[in-house]
Amino acid sequence: MSNKIAIIMRGLPGSGKSHWVETYILSLPLEKAISVRQRCVFSTDSFFYHQDEYRFDAKKLPEYHQCNLAGFIQALSSGEPVVICDNTNLCRWEYMAYEAAAKALGYQVRIVLVGEPSNPAHQLECAKRNRHGVPLAQIQRMAKVFEDF
């Protein structure tokens, strides 16, 4: 069994995915944690930051998802011991390419769901907590399309 791991996060905006990733990274030995944080966490949201300001542009989403996947695959190809996809990944098709690439390159794949997307209280908490101003109505629409494993 490989000791390389690919982690694919799933959950609504504001569910705590990035917090889970940060907690996981902090549990690693210091040198490994620094390496993972600098080179091995891939989030499409990161492409929407300009200086320290988040500017979402739906027209850029397909391009940025491709860039994110390409970076993730590059890290896998480089043999990084831990590679993380920190996207919402609400539907299977959204993370299939990440999972397939990781498995093809000999990684164990761990899919981590944070929160319960169908729970109205969780949806409300996500709407209050998410960093990008995603309103409750949008969170509820996203929850409706969520696919179980």
Side-chain angles (χ1 to χ4, degrees):
M1 184 60 96
S2 172
N3 61 350
K4 298 183 295 185
I5 185 167
I7 299 171
I8 299 172
M9 302 304 298
R10 299 186 72 201
L12 296 168
S15 62
K17 295 178 304 298
S18 296
H19 177 76
W20 187 99
V21 168
E22 187 60 26
T23 301
Y24 174 78
I25 289 171
L26 289 172
S27 76
L28 300 172
L30 183 59
E31 280 188 33
K32 190 173 186 179
I34 291 168
S35 173
V36 169
R37 182 177 286 122
Q38 290 177 342
R39 297 195 313 268
C40 302
V41 178
F42 297 90
S43 171
T44 300
D45 272 340
S46 67
F47 292 93
F48 291 104
Y49 280 96
H50 303 279
Q51 278 97 29
D52 283 335
E53 186 183 341
Y54 183 78
R55 292 190 227 149
F56 182 77
D57 178 353
K59 292 188 288 296
K60 294 281 193 181
L61 205 50
E63 174 189 346
Y64 290 171
H65 272 304
Q66 280 302 106
C67 290
N68 197 62
L69 177 60
F72 182 88
I73 292 171
Q74 179 60 46
L76 297 171
S77 297
S78 298
E80 296 289 350
V82 177
V83 183
I84 301 170
C85 173
D86 185 10
N87 287 345
T88 56
N89 293 311
L90 298 175
C91 300
R92 179 147 176 72
W93 68 264
E94 293 175 297
Y95 64 89
M96 279 175 46
Y98 291 90
E99 183 179 24
K103 286 180 177 177
L105 291 166
Y107 281 73
Q108 293 179 56
V109 175
R110 180 174 176 194
I111 298 174
V112 178
L113 172 62
V114 179
E116 178 48 60
S118 64
N119 181 312
H122 177 67
Q123 295 167 14
L124 185 59
E125 186 64 30
C126 288
K128 290 179 190 171
R129 198 165 53 185
N130 80 83
R131 295 181 299 199
H132 306 310
V134 181
L136 178 58
Q138 179 68 20
I139 299 268
Q140 290 168 331
R141 283 193 295 277
M142 294 173 85
K144 280 189 174 107
V145 302
F146 177 80
E147 293 176 356
D148 283 328
F149 297 97

